[in-house]
Amino acid sequence: MDTKGEVLQMLKKAVETWDMELVHEASQNALSQGITPYEAIEKGLGKGMINISERFNEGLIFLPQVLAASKAMEEGMAVFEPFIGKDSPHTTKGNIVIGTVQGDVHEIGKHVVCAFLRGAGYSVFDLGRDVPPDDFLEAAKERNASIVAASALMTTTLIGQKKIVKCLKEEELNIKTLFGGACCTRKWVESIGGDEYCSCGSEVVECVDRMLKFNKGD
Ligand code: B12
């Protein structure tokens, strides 16, 4: 029987080697060992993706390999998703509209964030990738959202987050904004008048819980 550490390593390796068979084997192994989906995603699959990012940055691998690893990560997440939030309450804690900003197709990190928030009992409406600012606004009104969240992975697309803040402020809607993504920082979010920044999936639930509690106290 593999130890928990070994199974997490297997998940990491499966993404690093974009080995679909290993992704399934390791994911099933994790489930049968009672490893939580959160741990499997953050400490297993996610660690593999971080390693892929580093190797890409160092020029050791190229876009096709990154894409293959991304697919392996998504495949693994799909195995865990049905088990996330199985024990969470059926009543929703609030509606969240999320998407990746216009011009940006990166969405693995956003999927991690969605999975964790759904698991914590929020209703999450994922608009996908390359989403224009107006679409965030319309979806937020339609869904009566408490929070609009947006991911941006590129310096060139960060501006999309600023446009979302502008759109929401123009309509004077009482909706909070939450931003993240590799090139997004707390300083940037403050500079555009956004409400919150969160750097990773494992902290997002705590962050959103805090934001909405603050809302209720208003
Ligand atoms: C995977 C990847 C891709 C995949 C995306 C697949 C997919 N389905 O998403 C593919 C191959 C398609 C791709 C394409 C491109 N990519 Co790319 N890609 C990456 C890479 C290697 C990893 C990103 C990733 O998935 N990480 C794993 C996840 C789990 O982490 P994460 O995204 O950071 O998310 C976590 C947190 O940031 C946070 N978070 C994320 N979103 C949100 C949102 C909210 C609301 C919150 C609260 C938190 C949060 O929580 C997440 C979980 O912990 C990064 C390198 C990097 N260092 O980020 C480059 C990177 C982002 N890509 C880059 C580039 C340039 C491109 C391309 C333009 C390449 C090209 N020349 O064609 C195209 C983009 C086309 C476009 N218009 O968008 C650059 C951006 C440079 C910059 N600073 O502007 C990077 C940084 C690589 C580099 N060093 O050059 N890419």
Side-chain angles (χ1 to χ4, degrees), residues 152-184:
L153 267 281
M154 299 193 289
T155 39
T156 47
T157 56
L158 261 182
I159 194 76
Q161 296 180 333
K162 187 175 180 178
K163 289 181 183 165
I164 292 170
V165 173
K166 189 167 172 272
C167 268
L168 292 172
K169 289 208 165 139
E170 271 169 9
E171 297 246 346
E172 295 180 4
L173 296 169
N174 184 25
I175 300 173
K176 302 254 177 209
T177 48
L178 168 66
F179 299 119
C183 63
C184 179

PDB file of all heavy atoms in Angstrom, residues 152-184:
ATOM      1  N   ALA A 152      -6.536  36.724 -13.768  1.00  0.00           N
ATOM      2  CA  ALA A 152      -5.713  37.244 -14.877  1.00  0.00           C
ATOM      3  C   ALA A 152      -4.305  36.683 -14.702  1.00  0.00           C
ATOM      4  O   ALA A 152      -3.717  36.796 -13.635  1.00  0.00           O
ATOM      5  CB  ALA A 152      -5.679  38.761 -14.859  1.00  0.00           C
ATOM      6  N   LEU A 153      -3.798  36.072 -15.739  1.00  0.00           N
ATOM      7  CA  LEU A 153      -2.483  35.423 -15.652  1.00  0.00           C
ATOM      8  C   LEU A 153      -1.386  36.176 -16.386  1.00  0.00           C
ATOM      9  O   LEU A 153      -0.221  35.865 -16.270  1.00  0.00           O
ATOM     10  CB  LEU A 153      -2.575  33.995 -16.226  1.00  0.00           C
ATOM     11  CG  LEU A 153      -2.867  32.819 -15.300  1.00  0.00           C
ATOM     12  CD1 LEU A 153      -1.644  32.371 -14.550  1.00  0.00           C
ATOM     13  CD2 LEU A 153      -3.990  33.100 -14.350  1.00  0.00           C
ATOM     14  N   MET A 154      -1.787  37.190 -17.164  1.00  0.00           N
ATOM     15  CA  MET A 154      -0.773  37.873 -17.958  1.00  0.00           C
ATOM     16  C   MET A 154      -0.751  39.367 -17.643  1.00  0.00           C
ATOM     17  O   MET A 154      -1.799  39.967 -17.391  1.00  0.00           O
ATOM     18  CB  MET A 154      -1.036  37.651 -19.446  1.00  0.00           C
ATOM     19  CG  MET A 154      -0.972  36.184 -19.836  1.00  0.00           C
ATOM     20  SD  MET A 154      -0.893  35.942 -21.622  1.00  0.00           S
ATOM     21  CE  MET A 154      -2.528  36.399 -22.100  1.00  0.00           C
ATOM     22  N   THR A 155       0.433  39.945 -17.701  1.00  0.00           N
ATOM     23  CA  THR A 155       0.558  41.382 -17.419  1.00  0.00           C
ATOM     24  C   THR A 155      -0.294  42.190 -18.408  1.00  0.00           C
ATOM     25  O   THR A 155      -0.848  43.221 -18.050  1.00  0.00           O
ATOM     26  CB  THR A 155       2.042  41.830 -17.502  1.00  0.00           C
ATOM     27  OG1 THR A 155       2.647  41.148 -18.586  1.00  0.00           O
ATOM     28  CG2 THR A 155       2.786  41.517 -16.247  1.00  0.00           C
ATOM     29  N   THR A 156      -0.416  41.649 -19.629  1.00  0.00           N
ATOM     30  CA  THR A 156      -1.183  42.364 -20.657  1.00  0.00           C
ATOM     31  C   THR A 156      -2.692  42.296 -20.422  1.00  0.00           C
ATOM     32  O   THR A 156      -3.438  43.099 -20.986  1.00  0.00           O
ATOM     33  CB  THR A 156      -0.883  41.764 -22.043  1.00  0.00           C
ATOM     34  OG1 THR A 156      -0.963  40.339 -21.927  1.00  0.00           O
ATOM     35  CG2 THR A 156       0.487  42.168 -22.529  1.00  0.00           C
ATOM     36  N   THR A 157      -3.149  41.334 -19.637  1.00  0.00           N
ATOM     37  CA  THR A 157      -4.607  41.192 -19.457  1.00  0.00           C
ATOM     38  C   THR A 157      -5.098  41.653 -18.077  1.00  0.00           C
ATOM     39  O   THR A 157      -6.307  41.719 -17.845  1.00  0.00           O
ATOM     40  CB  THR A 157      -5.058  39.728 -19.686  1.00  0.00           C
ATOM     41  OG1 THR A 157      -4.310  38.874 -18.800  1.00  0.00           O
ATOM     42  CG2 THR A 157      -4.831  39.304 -21.117  1.00  0.00           C
ATOM     43  N   LEU A 158      -4.150  41.994 -17.198  1.00  0.00           N
ATOM     44  CA  LEU A 158      -4.518  42.474 -15.856  1.00  0.00           C
ATOM     45  C   LEU A 158      -5.527  43.617 -15.922  1.00  0.00           C
ATOM     46  O   LEU A 158      -6.419  43.734 -15.085  1.00  0.00           O
ATOM     47  CB  LEU A 158      -3.265  43.010 -15.151  1.00  0.00           C
ATOM     48  CG  LEU A 158      -2.553  42.116 -14.154  1.00  0.00           C
ATOM     49  CD1 LEU A 158      -1.392  42.866 -13.546  1.00  0.00           C
ATOM     50  CD2 LEU A 158      -3.506  41.626 -13.069  1.00  0.00           C
ATOM     51  N   ILE A 159      -5.373  44.447 -16.944  1.00  0.00           N
ATOM     52  CA  ILE A 159      -6.224  45.619 -17.129  1.00  0.00           C
ATOM     53  C   ILE A 159      -7.715  45.239 -17.120  1.00  0.00           C
ATOM     54  O   ILE A 159      -8.574  46.034 -16.751  1.00  0.00           O
ATOM     55  CB  ILE A 159      -5.817  46.364 -18.443  1.00  0.00           C
ATOM     56  CG1 ILE A 159      -6.418  47.756 -18.531  1.00  0.00           C
ATOM     57  CG2 ILE A 159      -6.129  45.559 -19.677  1.00  0.00           C
ATOM     58  CD1 ILE A 159      -5.763  48.771 -17.679  1.00  0.00           C
ATOM     59  N   GLY A 160      -7.994  43.997 -17.509  1.00  0.00           N
ATOM     60  CA  GLY A 160      -9.380  43.500 -17.512  1.00  0.00           C
ATOM     61  C   GLY A 160      -9.998  43.578 -16.119  1.00  0.00           C
ATOM     62  O   GLY A 160     -11.204  43.820 -15.975  1.00  0.00           O
ATOM     63  N   GLN A 161      -9.179  43.392 -15.087  1.00  0.00           N
ATOM     64  CA  GLN A 161      -9.708  43.461 -13.714  1.00  0.00           C
ATOM     65  C   GLN A 161     -10.115  44.901 -13.391  1.00  0.00           C
ATOM     66  O   GLN A 161     -11.133  45.147 -12.761  1.00  0.00           O
ATOM     67  CB  GLN A 161      -8.655  42.936 -12.726  1.00  0.00           C
ATOM     68  CG  GLN A 161      -8.328  41.453 -12.955  1.00  0.00           C
ATOM     69  CD  GLN A 161      -7.288  40.894 -12.011  1.00  0.00           C
ATOM     70  OE1 GLN A 161      -6.438  41.622 -11.500  1.00  0.00           O
ATOM     71  NE2 GLN A 161      -7.326  39.582 -11.797  1.00  0.00           N
ATOM     72  N   LYS A 162      -9.297  45.851 -13.855  1.00  0.00           N
ATOM     73  CA  LYS A 162      -9.609  47.266 -13.632  1.00  0.00           C
ATOM     74  C   LYS A 162     -10.938  47.632 -14.313  1.00  0.00           C
ATOM     75  O   LYS A 162     -11.769  48.347 -13.756  1.00  0.00           O
ATOM     76  CB  LYS A 162      -8.453  48.111 -14.196  1.00  0.00           C
ATOM     77  CG  LYS A 162      -8.561  49.581 -13.877  1.00  0.00           C
ATOM     78  CD  LYS A 162      -7.325  50.315 -14.353  1.00  0.00           C
ATOM     79  CE  LYS A 162      -7.442  51.805 -14.040  1.00  0.00           C
ATOM     80  NZ  LYS A 162      -6.260  52.540 -14.442  1.00  0.00           N
ATOM     81  N   LYS A 163     -11.127  47.102 -15.519  1.00  0.00           N
ATOM     82  CA  LYS A 163     -12.357  47.398 -16.264  1.00  0.00           C
ATOM     83  C   LYS A 163     -13.584  46.845 -15.535  1.00  0.00           C
ATOM     84  O   LYS A 163     -14.663  47.438 -15.581  1.00  0.00           O
ATOM     85  CB  LYS A 163     -12.273  46.817 -17.677  1.00  0.00           C
ATOM     86  CG  LYS A 163     -11.282  47.572 -18.561  1.00  0.00           C
ATOM     87  CD  LYS A 163     -11.261  46.968 -19.954  1.00  0.00           C
ATOM     88  CE  LYS A 163     -10.220  47.663 -20.830  1.00  0.00           C
ATOM     89  NZ  LYS A 163      -9.920  46.887 -22.044  1.00  0.00           N
ATOM     90  N   ILE A 164     -13.414  45.697 -14.884  1.00  0.00           N
ATOM     91  CA  ILE A 164     -14.542  45.106 -14.146  1.00  0.00           C
ATOM     92  C   ILE A 164     -14.933  46.020 -12.982  1.00  0.00           C
ATOM     93  O   ILE A 164     -16.110  46.300 -12.763  1.00  0.00           O
ATOM     94  CB  ILE A 164     -14.177  43.685 -13.637  1.00  0.00           C
ATOM     95  CG1 ILE A 164     -14.031  42.736 -14.821  1.00  0.00           C
ATOM     96  CG2 ILE A 164     -15.227  43.167 -12.651  1.00  0.00           C
ATOM     97  CD1 ILE A 164     -13.435  41.383 -14.474  1.00  0.00           C
ATOM     98  N   VAL A 165     -13.925  46.511 -12.256  1.00  0.00           N
ATOM     99  CA  VAL A 165     -14.205  47.416 -11.127  1.00  0.00           C
ATOM    100  C   VAL A 165     -14.952  48.642 -11.643  1.00  0.00           C
ATOM    101  O   VAL A 165     -15.959  49.069 -11.075  1.00  0.00           O
ATOM    102  CB  VAL A 165     -12.891  47.834 -10.419  1.00  0.00           C
ATOM    103  CG1 VAL A 165     -13.164  48.894  -9.360  1.00  0.00           C
ATOM    104  CG2 VAL A 165     -12.200  46.630  -9.792  1.00  0.00           C
ATOM    105  N   LYS A 166     -14.481  49.185 -12.762  1.00  0.00           N
ATOM    106  CA  LYS A 166     -15.089  50.392 -13.339  1.00  0.00           C
ATOM    107  C   LYS A 166     -16.568  50.128 -13.697  1.00  0.00           C
ATOM    108  O   LYS A 166     -17.449  50.901 -13.338  1.00  0.00           O
ATOM    109  CB  LYS A 166     -14.289  50.797 -14.582  1.00  0.00           C
ATOM    110  CG  LYS A 166     -14.660  52.143 -15.151  1.00  0.00           C
ATOM    111  CD  LYS A 166     -13.608  52.605 -16.171  1.00  0.00           C
ATOM    112  CE  LYS A 166     -14.057  53.857 -16.891  1.00  0.00           C
ATOM    113  NZ  LYS A 166     -14.868  53.592 -18.104  1.00  0.00           N
ATOM    114  N   CYS A 167     -16.810  49.009 -14.373  1.00  0.00           N
ATOM    115  CA  CYS A 167     -18.175  48.638 -14.786  1.00  0.00           C
ATOM    116  C   CYS A 167     -19.104  48.562 -13.576  1.00  0.00           C
ATOM    117  O   CYS A 167     -20.210  49.086 -13.603  1.00  0.00           O
ATOM    118  CB  CYS A 167     -18.161  47.245 -15.406  1.00  0.00           C
ATOM    119  SG  CYS A 167     -17.958  47.198 -17.141  1.00  0.00           S
ATOM    120  N   LEU A 168     -18.641  47.885 -12.516  1.00  0.00           N
ATOM    121  CA  LEU A 168     -19.492  47.693 -11.335  1.00  0.00           C
ATOM    122  C   LEU A 168     -19.735  49.027 -10.630  1.00  0.00           C
ATOM    123  O   LEU A 168     -20.832  49.303 -10.163  1.00  0.00           O
ATOM    124  CB  LEU A 168     -18.862  46.687 -10.365  1.00  0.00           C
ATOM    125  CG  LEU A 168     -18.783  45.238 -10.852  1.00  0.00           C
ATOM    126  CD1 LEU A 168     -17.977  44.384  -9.888  1.00  0.00           C
ATOM    127  CD2 LEU A 168     -20.177  44.636 -11.000  1.00  0.00           C
ATOM    128  N   LYS A 169     -18.689  49.871 -10.577  1.00  0.00           N
ATOM    129  CA  LYS A 169     -18.839  51.164  -9.884  1.00  0.00           C
ATOM    130  C   LYS A 169     -19.775  52.086 -10.642  1.00  0.00           C
ATOM    131  O   LYS A 169     -20.558  52.811 -10.033  1.00  0.00           O
ATOM    132  CB  LYS A 169     -17.458  51.816  -9.674  1.00  0.00           C
ATOM    133  CG  LYS A 169     -16.664  51.041  -8.617  1.00  0.00           C
ATOM    134  CD  LYS A 169     -15.662  51.862  -7.860  1.00  0.00           C
ATOM    135  CE  LYS A 169     -15.232  51.082  -6.616  1.00  0.00           C
ATOM    136  NZ  LYS A 169     -13.849  51.131  -6.278  1.00  0.00           N
ATOM    137  N   GLU A 170     -19.717  52.026 -11.973  1.00  0.00           N
ATOM    138  CA  GLU A 170     -20.594  52.879 -12.789  1.00  0.00           C
ATOM    139  C   GLU A 170     -22.061  52.603 -12.510  1.00  0.00           C
ATOM    140  O   GLU A 170     -22.893  53.490 -12.529  1.00  0.00           O
ATOM    141  CB  GLU A 170     -20.301  52.658 -14.278  1.00  0.00           C
ATOM    142  CG  GLU A 170     -19.215  53.592 -14.775  1.00  0.00           C
ATOM    143  CD  GLU A 170     -18.709  53.224 -16.170  1.00  0.00           C
ATOM    144  OE1 GLU A 170     -19.321  52.348 -16.833  1.00  0.00           O
ATOM    145  OE2 GLU A 170     -17.691  53.785 -16.575  1.00  0.00           O
ATOM    146  N   GLU A 171     -22.367  51.345 -12.242  1.00  0.00           N
ATOM    147  CA  GLU A 171     -23.772  50.969 -11.997  1.00  0.00           C
ATOM    148  C   GLU A 171     -24.122  51.062 -10.511  1.00  0.00           C
ATOM    149  O   GLU A 171     -25.238  50.724 -10.118  1.00  0.00           O
ATOM    150  CB  GLU A 171     -24.000  49.538 -12.489  1.00  0.00           C
ATOM    151  CG  GLU A 171     -23.787  49.406 -13.972  1.00  0.00           C
ATOM    152  CD  GLU A 171     -25.041  49.063 -14.743  1.00  0.00           C
ATOM    153  OE1 GLU A 171     -26.042  48.673 -14.140  1.00  0.00           O
ATOM    154  OE2 GLU A 171     -24.994  49.209 -15.975  1.00  0.00           O
ATOM    155  N   GLU A 172     -23.147  51.462  -9.706  1.00  0.00           N
ATOM    156  CA  GLU A 172     -23.335  51.592  -8.258  1.00  0.00           C
ATOM    157  C   GLU A 172     -23.953  50.349  -7.632  1.00  0.00           C
ATOM    158  O   GLU A 172     -24.882  50.413  -6.829  1.00  0.00           O
ATOM    159  CB  GLU A 172     -24.178  52.835  -7.942  1.00  0.00           C
ATOM    160  CG  GLU A 172     -23.462  54.114  -8.338  1.00  0.00           C
ATOM    161  CD  GLU A 172     -24.278  55.365  -8.048  1.00  0.00           C
ATOM    162  OE1 GLU A 172     -25.359  55.273  -7.471  1.00  0.00           O
ATOM    163  OE2 GLU A 172     -23.776  56.445  -8.407  1.00  0.00           O
ATOM    164  N   LEU A 173     -23.429  49.201  -8.042  1.00  0.00           N
ATOM    165  CA  LEU A 173     -23.946  47.948  -7.490  1.00  0.00           C
ATOM    166  C   LEU A 173     -23.167  47.590  -6.228  1.00  0.00           C
ATOM    167  O   LEU A 173     -21.962  47.772  -6.163  1.00  0.00           O
ATOM    168  CB  LEU A 173     -23.783  46.820  -8.520  1.00  0.00           C
ATOM    169  CG  LEU A 173     -24.588  46.981  -9.801  1.00  0.00           C
ATOM    170  CD1 LEU A 173     -24.151  45.959 -10.831  1.00  0.00           C
ATOM    171  CD2 LEU A 173     -26.069  46.819  -9.499  1.00  0.00           C
ATOM    172  N   ASN A 174     -23.861  47.065  -5.253  1.00  0.00           N
ATOM    173  CA  ASN A 174     -23.193  46.682  -4.017  1.00  0.00           C
ATOM    174  C   ASN A 174     -22.649  45.253  -4.136  1.00  0.00           C
ATOM    175  O   ASN A 174     -23.121  44.330  -3.480  1.00  0.00           O
ATOM    176  CB  ASN A 174     -24.185  46.812  -2.852  1.00  0.00           C
ATOM    177  CG  ASN A 174     -23.521  46.522  -1.524  1.00  0.00           C
ATOM    178  OD1 ASN A 174     -22.302  46.677  -1.395  1.00  0.00           O
ATOM    179  ND2 ASN A 174     -24.295  46.079  -0.548  1.00  0.00           N
ATOM    180  N   ILE A 175     -21.685  45.098  -5.021  1.00  0.00           N
ATOM    181  CA  ILE A 175     -21.095  43.783  -5.252  1.00  0.00           C
ATOM    182  C   ILE A 175     -19.597  43.901  -5.000  1.00  0.00           C
ATOM    183  O   ILE A 175     -18.944  44.820  -5.504  1.00  0.00           O
ATOM    184  CB  ILE A 175     -21.334  43.314  -6.710  1.00  0.00           C
ATOM    185  CG1 ILE A 175     -22.835  43.218  -6.995  1.00  0.00           C
ATOM    186  CG2 ILE A 175     -20.648  41.985  -6.977  1.00  0.00           C
ATOM    187  CD1 ILE A 175     -23.173  42.933  -8.437  1.00  0.00           C
ATOM    188  N   LYS A 176     -19.081  42.968  -4.217  1.00  0.00           N
ATOM    189  CA  LYS A 176     -17.643  43.017  -3.907  1.00  0.00           C
ATOM    190  C   LYS A 176     -16.844  42.376  -5.052  1.00  0.00           C
ATOM    191  O   LYS A 176     -17.354  41.517  -5.775  1.00  0.00           O
ATOM    192  CB  LYS A 176     -17.367  42.225  -2.629  1.00  0.00           C
ATOM    193  CG  LYS A 176     -18.152  42.726  -1.436  1.00  0.00           C
ATOM    194  CD  LYS A 176     -17.260  43.477  -0.500  1.00  0.00           C
ATOM    195  CE  LYS A 176     -18.046  44.033   0.656  1.00  0.00           C
ATOM    196  NZ  LYS A 176     -17.492  45.235   1.207  1.00  0.00           N
ATOM    197  N   THR A 177     -15.593  42.795  -5.160  1.00  0.00           N
ATOM    198  CA  THR A 177     -14.737  42.190  -6.190  1.00  0.00           C
ATOM    199  C   THR A 177     -13.566  41.446  -5.548  1.00  0.00           C
ATOM    200  O   THR A 177     -13.020  41.885  -4.533  1.00  0.00           O
ATOM    201  CB  THR A 177     -14.167  43.262  -7.137  1.00  0.00           C
ATOM    202  OG1 THR A 177     -13.628  44.334  -6.354  1.00  0.00           O
ATOM    203  CG2 THR A 177     -15.219  43.791  -8.076  1.00  0.00           C
ATOM    204  N   LEU A 178     -13.224  40.329  -6.158  1.00  0.00           N
ATOM    205  CA  LEU A 178     -12.117  39.487  -5.676  1.00  0.00           C
ATOM    206  C   LEU A 178     -11.244  39.121  -6.870  1.00  0.00           C
ATOM    207  O   LEU A 178     -11.752  38.645  -7.886  1.00  0.00           O
ATOM    208  CB  LEU A 178     -12.693  38.213  -5.037  1.00  0.00           C
ATOM    209  CG  LEU A 178     -11.709  37.090  -4.724  1.00  0.00           C
ATOM    210  CD1 LEU A 178     -10.713  37.513  -3.641  1.00  0.00           C
ATOM    211  CD2 LEU A 178     -12.454  35.843  -4.287  1.00  0.00           C
ATOM    212  N   PHE A 179      -9.942  39.379  -6.744  1.00  0.00           N
ATOM    213  CA  PHE A 179      -9.051  39.112  -7.883  1.00  0.00           C
ATOM    214  C   PHE A 179      -7.877  38.224  -7.517  1.00  0.00           C
ATOM    215  O   PHE A 179      -7.421  38.200  -6.375  1.00  0.00           O
ATOM    216  CB  PHE A 179      -8.537  40.435  -8.449  1.00  0.00           C
ATOM    217  CG  PHE A 179      -9.632  41.330  -8.967  1.00  0.00           C
ATOM    218  CD1 PHE A 179      -9.845  42.588  -8.425  1.00  0.00           C
ATOM    219  CD2 PHE A 179     -10.462  40.903  -9.992  1.00  0.00           C
ATOM    220  CE1 PHE A 179     -10.869  43.407  -8.894  1.00  0.00           C
ATOM    221  CE2 PHE A 179     -11.490  41.716 -10.474  1.00  0.00           C
ATOM    222  CZ  PHE A 179     -11.685  42.966  -9.926  1.00  0.00           C
ATOM    223  N   GLY A 180      -7.388  37.510  -8.529  1.00  0.00           N
ATOM    224  CA  GLY A 180      -6.222  36.649  -8.334  1.00  0.00           C
ATOM    225  C   GLY A 180      -5.625  36.279  -9.676  1.00  0.00           C
ATOM    226  O   GLY A 180      -6.030  36.792 -10.720  1.00  0.00           O
ATOM    227  N   GLY A 181      -4.656  35.374  -9.633  1.00  0.00           N
ATOM    228  CA  GLY A 181      -3.941  34.960 -10.843  1.00  0.00           C
ATOM    229  C   GLY A 181      -2.474  35.309 -10.689  1.00  0.00           C
ATOM    230  O   GLY A 181      -2.129  36.237  -9.951  1.00  0.00           O
ATOM    231  N   ALA A 182      -1.637  34.556 -11.384  1.00  0.00           N
ATOM    232  CA  ALA A 182      -0.187  34.630 -11.160  1.00  0.00           C
ATOM    233  C   ALA A 182       0.402  36.051 -11.149  1.00  0.00           C
ATOM    234  O   ALA A 182       1.263  36.349 -10.334  1.00  0.00           O
ATOM    235  CB  ALA A 182       0.531  33.770 -12.186  1.00  0.00           C
ATOM    236  N   CYS A 183      -0.056  36.939 -12.035  1.00  0.00           N
ATOM    237  CA  CYS A 183       0.608  38.252 -12.092  1.00  0.00           C
ATOM    238  C   CYS A 183      -0.160  39.323 -11.313  1.00  0.00           C
ATOM    239  O   CYS A 183       0.238  40.486 -11.286  1.00  0.00           O
ATOM    240  CB  CYS A 183       0.816  38.684 -13.535  1.00  0.00           C
ATOM    241  SG  CYS A 183      -0.741  38.892 -14.377  1.00  0.00           S
ATOM    242  N   CYS A 184      -1.235  38.923 -10.666  1.00  0.00           N
ATOM    243  CA  CYS A 184      -2.040  39.869  -9.874  1.00  0.00           C
ATOM    244  C   CYS A 184      -1.441  39.981  -8.463  1.00  0.00           C
ATOM    245  O   CYS A 184      -0.967  38.979  -7.917  1.00  0.00           O
ATOM    246  CB  CYS A 184      -3.465  39.307  -9.826  1.00  0.00           C
ATOM    247  SG  CYS A 184      -4.617  40.269  -8.878  1.00  0.00           S
TER     248      CYS A 184
END
